[in-house]
Amino acid sequence: MSLNKELHRLARKSRLDSLSHHLKTRVEQGLEQRIKLAITGLSRSGKTVFISSFAHHLLQSDLGTSLPFFAASADGRIIAARDLSTGSIQPFPLAKTLDGLRTYPPHWPDSTETLSEICLALRYRRSPGLGRVLGEHATLYIDLIDYPGEWLLDLPLLELTFEQWCQQQRQLFAQAPRASAAQAWLARQHDIDWLAPATDAELAQLSETFRTLLQQLREPPHSLSLLQPGRLLMPGELAGSDLLNLFPILTAFPENPAEAADDSLLVRLQQAYDRYCQDVVRPFYQDHFRHFDRQIVLVDCLKTLNRGRACFNDMQLALNTLLQSFNYGRSGLLRRLFSPRISRVLFAATKADHVTANQHHNLDRFLQLMVESAQRDIRFEHVDTRCLALASVRATQAAEARLDGQHLSCLRGMRKDTGEEIALFPGEVPVELPGDADWNSERFRFVDFAPRPLPAGPLRPEHHIRLDQAADHLLGDLFR
Amino acid sequence: MSTPEHWQRPVELSPDALEPPSSSASGQTTTGHAQELPLESTRPVEVETGDIPLSPSPPARQSSRRWLWGSLGALLVTLAGAELYRLIHWGIDLHPLLGATFALLALVLVGAITVEIHRGCHSRRQLRRVNHLQQQASRLLTRHDTGHSSTLIHQLEQQYRQTPLARELNTALQQLDSSYSDAEIIRYLDRHALRQADRAAQQCVQRYSVESGVLVAVSPWASFDMLLVAWRNLRMLREISTIYGLPSGPLTQGRLLRQVLQNLAFAGASEMAVDAGSALLSSSITAGLSARAGQGLGAGLFTARTGFSAIELCRPLPTTDDRKTRSNRIATLILQRLGKGKAAEGPA
């Protein structure tokens, strides 16, 4: 009996029990019947809304009404779609999110605190041609994962040692606006002797201070993105764990680390860093962030326009850093079986409904400006990329106003903070990086809107902006 | 105009009074700064559906040959008139009733010819408008801003108001989203406004090419083949033009045929050679084909190409579909038919 138990334990430990499942998944992925779509985005870039809206529309794609530019659906080739994630351990709260968007007054979902997954199965008719030899019907499985955006920024840590990380952070904290915001923290670090023995309480207390600092940096007026380690901001199931007692050394790194006492802060931090990477980041990466086939990168450009150059630069840096954690390239059949790479990337500027329709193209261009270097790197690997302004759930209506005898396109919607209805011309999206003088002027006023209620019945194209084109770019070629 | 110079005087402005250059060249203007507006001053955006007069069709083609044809036509008409007059005169001389019959017949003939000419002119205008629409649409496809497509939409509505295409077109126009850019509107209409017509035209081309392929393959006389193919092609052209809402008649057909042949002869000659060559030469297809069947396949592919050119000419929006896959599919269909025929022949 106990031997049996022991065997089970061993099997679980070596992941043998999930081996057959794993194998099946990989074969399906190799034959392009299963797609892992990476939804990448910093926190508050709209991942959860994107996933729920995407899933919602795909689940209704057999009606062929709501996604006119998604060829498979518009041509009526999708027979039915099904949500398979109900049996999963951490199912994505699709029903809850959609209920929130349907009730009156509707509200956006809360920020994601833990990892969840959703798997959709789309049964479709193959297009006439050679594919029909394989049978008239086929099924495509789509795996989507939702997670707190803060965690994503931990992925680059896997490539760095503690010392390298401290070095990076030191450079970051030497620049505005971090330098001024973290003045007290920097001063406090100066007084610390890293090599002297220290107690657990001291470490915990310092970590707590650092966590408060990160939280400050995340909120307006700074609204920074590149905040590591991410679990300090969004601990998930690790809340209160001593794995999170971690912060970078921002003063000059001790020159003779070998002399440090075993219970000194330096040694403790180094150990904490290694443990954090090994026990927190690596499992997260290995279980969920390898083996992607397609990727969508969601970027909230309007936030940077509202906040200014520092916010723009920081978000650009964060995106460039984290996109290096993914594998890009074309995959042949063998590669798809053993180590798939991302073969198609879509950069999406979310909240396109928060600017007028004539600014969508400018929003595309502005996004291009932000992800330029990342996009170039990805294109170097022969991977298709595209920039698109989209809105997963449309919160505003287009309207026109007459002002001083001129027509002015504007938006009509409910303010998120007060709930009152407003009409707004939010300003033009620049296609070049605005000069220093322009950032803090009255040039932009991108207000956050509350969603408009979703219908209980079939969706229509007016409930999203360009979600269908995103779906077609990401999945269109798979419905052969 | 009030000043005598042709150039404008330099004017000094304060930098604050400048507006950022607007990317759209249309009447839509936007000021650069964010502002909040009173709710009452707004109205929802709709796709405008008021009547706008059609833009004048492009000027008639200049041709030095017009004189040639004109004088020839006038001569022929005079000749025919004189001959008719003599015929009627002779009839009246013989018996008034016979003369009246002749006169009546002549009247009917003149009436029929007039109607046909009128139709021909109408169809010529229509074809030209379609061409104009296509050009506009392909220009819009390259644009990313909004607000330039309303003229095209009006023209589409007007042109197809009384045709079978109107219903689907109107449904698609009503579903146009306010967030679409010009290029997206064209792509949307291309996909959704002409779906039934496209499918019908596609099937029509398929049917006629398979038919003419099979007919040529089984016809016993070589010279008969040519007539056969010409006959099938002409009927196909008529059907396609009806599907896309163009008036059908011998003159329309002739005009269409001329344009199609021009397309095939000049623009698509090399393409056709490559297409037909690849279809004919791919060993899996031609292996074991008799010369007869090969001829049939060639004739079928030719008909298919004629059909696709006709579709391109009649369709108000430029086709984005891949032509090669379509002609390959037709090639396989013809071969399947021929194969069936062979299989049926074999045991006998």
Side-chain angles (χ1 to χ4, degrees):
Chain A
M1 187 67 188
S2 69
L3 181 73
N4 209 354
K5 233 180 213 169
E6 185 69 8
L7 273 176
H8 267 290
R9 199 185 61 76
L10 270 177
R12 214 174 310 128
K13 199 172 172 191
S14 55
R15 302 189 177 186
L16 268 178
D17 57 343
S18 63
L19 191 69
S20 66
H21 171 74
H22 218 69
L23 213 64
K24 183 166 167 273
T25 314
R26 296 304 282 284
V27 168
E28 281 171 352
Q29 207 174 347
L31 297 175
E32 290 201 316
Q33 287 171 355
R34 179 174 285 271
I35 277 296
K36 290 191 89 171
L37 178 60
I39 317 280
T40 316
L42 302 168
S43 64
R44 293 176 206 177
S45 55
K47 290 185 295 296
T48 307
V49 179
F50 176 83
I51 293 175
S52 15
S53 177
F54 195 63
H56 194 194
H57 281 276
L58 282 185
L59 286 173
Q60 292 193 0
S61 57
D62 53 322
L63 300 176
T65 47
S66 71
L67 302 169
F69 281 106
F70 182 33
S73 164
D75 296 347
R77 279 173 42 215
I78 294 182
I79 300 166
R82 186 191 262 177
D83 179 6
L84 298 181
S85 53
T86 40
S88 133
I89 311 161
Q90 305 150 305
F92 178 77
L94 182 64
K96 193 182 145 220
T97 318
L98 291 180
D99 280 344
L101 289 168
R102 279 190 197 124
T103 50
Y104 197 83
H107 57 85
W108 298 113
D110 302 329
S111 62
T112 311
E113 288 179 4
T114 178
L115 194 122
S116 60
E117 55 188 3
I118 183 166
C119 175
L120 301 172
L122 266 67
R123 193 140 182 79
Y124 65 96
R125 255 198 314 276
R126 287 182 199 275
S127 62
L130 287 179
R132 283 270 168 97
V133 179
L134 301 169
E136 196 184 347
H137 297 141
T139 313
L140 178 74
Y141 298 92
I142 305 168
D143 287 332
L144 306 167
I145 291 173
D146 191 25
Y147 55 90
E150 288 89 349
W151 296 4
L152 203 58
L153 285 168
D154 284 344
L155 297 183
L157 297 187
L158 289 176
E159 305 282 314
L160 301 174
T161 64
F162 181 63
E163 196 175 340
Q164 286 167 331
W165 181 55
C166 290
Q167 172 113 25
Q168 260 189 14
Q169 292 289 317
R170 197 175 308 131
Q171 281 169 5
L172 273 179
F173 274 88
Q175 294 160 8
R178 280 186 177 80
S180 53
Q183 226 162 12
W185 172 246
L186 288 170
R188 186 157 171 197
Q189 283 219 347
H190 268 291
D191 301 337
I192 297 175
D193 181 4
W194 299 107
L195 304 179
T199 60
D200 279 343
E202 208 172 329
L203 179 67
Q205 201 217 341
L206 283 169
S207 307
E208 189 55 39
T209 321
F210 184 60
R211 180 215 298 263
T212 324
L213 174 68
L214 286 187
Q215 269 160 359
Q216 274 171 14
L217 290 174
R218 183 174 62 165
E219 299 303 325
H222 306 296
S223 301
L224 296 182
S225 311
L226 187 50
L227 302 171
Q228 292 167 328
R231 295 265 177 169
L232 252 64
L233 288 167
M234 191 55 82
E237 73 275 22
L238 291 179
S241 153
D242 59 351
L243 275 171
L244 300 186
N245 288 339
L246 176 63
F247 56 88
I249 298 178
L250 298 177
T251 58
F253 205 75
E255 278 170 16
N256 35 7
E259 291 172 15
D262 281 349
D263 53 354
S264 68
L265 272 178
L266 176 66
V267 174
R268 277 167 188 274
L269 282 174
Q270 241 159 2
Q271 283 168 352
Y273 180 82
D274 292 342
R275 252 197 352 249
Y276 185 78
C277 287
Q278 282 310 312
D279 297 351
V280 180
V281 188
R282 194 168 292 280
F284 178 62
Y285 176 70
Q286 291 205 322
D287 292 351
H288 304 289
F289 275 81
R290 288 187 312 162
H291 311 316
F292 279 126
D293 306 289
R294 306 279 155 105
Q295 184 176 38
I296 178 167
V297 183
L298 302 171
V299 185
D300 182 0
C301 291
L302 303 183
K303 180 171 116 179
T304 65
L305 284 173
N306 271 344
R307 295 280 166 236
R309 182 185 284 273
C311 179
F312 177 91
N313 287 340
D314 195 64
M315 190 181 277
Q316 190 173 37
L317 187 63
L319 283 171
N320 283 342
T321 319
L322 76 89
L323 287 179
Q324 279 162 13
S325 314
F326 294 91
N327 282 324
Y328 297 99
R330 292 248 177 107
S331 311
L333 176 67
L334 270 183
R335 198 167 232 298
R336 278 209 303 271
L337 276 173
F338 295 107
S339 83
R341 295 188 291 191
I342 295 174
S343 57
R344 228 170 234 228
V345 179
L346 178 72
F347 291 96
T350 52
K351 299 191 186 171
D353 55 339
H354 287 44
V355 298
T356 50
N358 51 13
Q359 297 301 313
H360 287 172
H361 180 57
N362 286 11
L363 194 57
D364 281 1
R365 303 256 306 264
F366 188 76
L367 173 66
Q368 226 151 15
L369 198 70
M370 182 179 284
V371 297
E372 200 181 9
S373 75
Q375 204 182 9
R376 203 178 303 128
D377 285 351
I378 294 173
R379 234 185 275 137
F380 187 82
E381 306 287 346
H382 271 281
V383 170
D384 276 349
T385 65
R386 197 181 155 193
C387 284
L388 196 70
L390 62 81
S392 318
V393 171
R394 202 190 283 198
T396 62
Q397 278 173 305
E400 244 171 36
R402 220 168 214 301
L403 199 81
D404 307 331
Q406 288 183 326
H407 277 297
L408 185 67
S409 323
C410 56
L411 301 170
R412 202 184 166 127
M414 308 282 188
R415 276 189 89 104
K416 188 183 165 194
D417 38 9
T418 59
E420 63 176 320
E421 193 176 24
I422 52 166
L424 176 78
F425 170 67
E428 284 185 341
V429 178
V431 291
E432 279 171 8
L433 206 55
D436 282 331
D438 294 334
W439 280 111
N440 295 316
S441 67
E442 283 283 287
R443 188 165 167 180
F444 321 107
R445 198 188 298 166
F446 299 111
V447 167
D448 276 341
F449 285 99
R452 285 195 299 152
L454 284 182
L459 296 164
R460 289 188 301 279
E462 72 203 40
H463 292 119
H464 65 84
I465 296 178
R466 297 201 185 88
L467 199 62
D468 45 355
Q469 293 185 40
D472 203 54
H473 180 79
L474 291 168
L475 309 172
D477 61 322
L478 298 167
F479 293 91
R480 284 178 302 225
Chain B
M1 264 170 269
S2 54
T3 49
E5 301 102 336
H6 328 267
W7 45 274
Q8 186 156 18
R9 281 173 181 285
V11 185
E12 204 171 312
L13 285 169
S14 86
D16 296 337
L18 286 177
E19 278 184 14
S22 161
S23 60
S24 63
S26 75
Q28 259 189 4
T29 49
T30 47
T31 49
H33 289 277
Q35 50 191 313
E36 215 166 300
L37 307 158
L39 268 182
E40 305 80 57
S41 70
T42 66
R43 62 183 171 84
V45 171
E46 295 162 18
V47 179
E48 295 160 30
T49 45
D51 279 355
I52 286 191
L54 279 180
S55 72
S57 31
R61 201 168 38 134
Q62 282 191 354
S63 161
S64 56
R65 267 177 292 172
R66 192 190 286 167
W67 283 105
L68 174 68
W69 294 117
S71 53
L72 194 67
L75 192 67
L76 281 177
V77 167
T78 325
L79 267 178
E83 212 47 47
L84 267 177
Y85 176 75
R86 272 178 52 187
L87 183 73
I88 294 169
H89 200 76
W90 174 71
I92 291 175
D93 276 355
L94 220 62
H95 190 280
L97 212 60
L98 188 65
T101 319
F102 277 145
L104 197 72
L105 281 178
L107 214 66
V108 169
L109 180 71
V110 169
I113 288 176
T114 321
V115 167
E116 200 47 62
I117 286 177
H118 176 73
R119 259 205 218 150
C121 292
H122 181 58
S123 77
R124 181 189 171 130
R125 265 202 312 275
Q126 293 272 38
L127 266 179
R128 226 182 254 157
R129 267 185 215 154
V130 167
N131 193 309
H132 187 56
L133 283 173
Q134 282 179 357
Q135 283 172 2
Q136 268 184 307
S138 27
R139 219 175 309 131
L140 284 174
L141 268 177
T142 58
R143 305 194 67 122
H144 297 286
D145 39 6
T146 52
H148 299 269
S149 51
S150 50
T151 348
L152 180 82
I153 290 175
H154 286 301
Q155 287 180 10
L156 271 176
E157 264 185 331
Q158 298 244 324
Q159 168 115 13
Y160 292 99
R161 188 175 281 166
Q162 274 149 12
T163 61
L165 277 78
R167 226 182 55 197
E168 209 180 13
L169 185 69
N170 285 338
T171 326
L173 287 178
Q174 275 161 17
Q175 283 170 352
L176 278 182
D177 197 280
S178 60
S179 70
Y180 288 166
S181 69
D182 290 337
E184 280 168 334
I185 287 180
I186 302 296
R187 276 169 51 212
Y188 182 89
L189 292 179
D190 178 41
R191 266 186 190 191
H192 297 270
L194 299 166
R195 218 187 307 188
Q196 278 172 11
D198 282 345
R199 205 175 300 138
Q202 194 76 251
Q203 276 169 359
C204 170
V205 172
Q206 208 162 305
R207 197 174 65 236
Y208 276 105
S209 7
V210 172
E211 269 178 25
S212 62
V214 173
L215 278 177
V216 167
V218 299
S219 92
W221 305 288
S223 53
F224 192 56
D225 295 356
M226 255 167 56
L227 278 177
L228 220 54
V229 171
W231 172 53
R232 301 313 292 171
N233 277 340
L234 279 175
R235 287 205 52 174
M236 180 177 67
L237 288 187
R238 191 160 69 206
E239 231 170 88
I240 289 176
S241 61
T242 324
I243 287 173
Y244 284 104
L246 292 171
S248 62
L251 275 177
T252 323
Q253 228 172 322
R255 179 155 295 124
L256 202 58
L257 184 67
R258 206 178 70 195
Q259 288 190 11
V260 164
L261 288 182
Q262 266 176 4
N263 273 10
L264 287 186
F266 301 111
S270 56
E271 229 180 298
M272 177 160 77
V274 171
D275 264 21
S278 66
L280 278 172
L281 293 178
S282 63
S283 57
S284 66
I285 291 186
T286 36
L289 267 192
S290 65
R292 205 36 104 44
Q295 277 172 9
L297 181 61
L301 283 176
F302 174 74
T303 313
R305 285 203 70 89
T306 320
F308 292 142
S309 307
I311 291 180
E312 269 170 31
L313 284 171
C314 295
R315 207 169 180 270
L317 302 170
T319 29
T320 47
D321 227 17
D322 185 18
R323 201 193 245 206
K324 197 160 176 186
T325 51
R326 287 183 305 183
S327 46
N328 272 350
R329 193 176 342 145
I330 284 179
T332 16
L333 270 176
I334 297 174
L335 285 171
Q336 272 175 2
R337 279 288 187 85
L338 288 179
K340 258 186 223 160
K342 234 189 207 168
E345 237 169 53

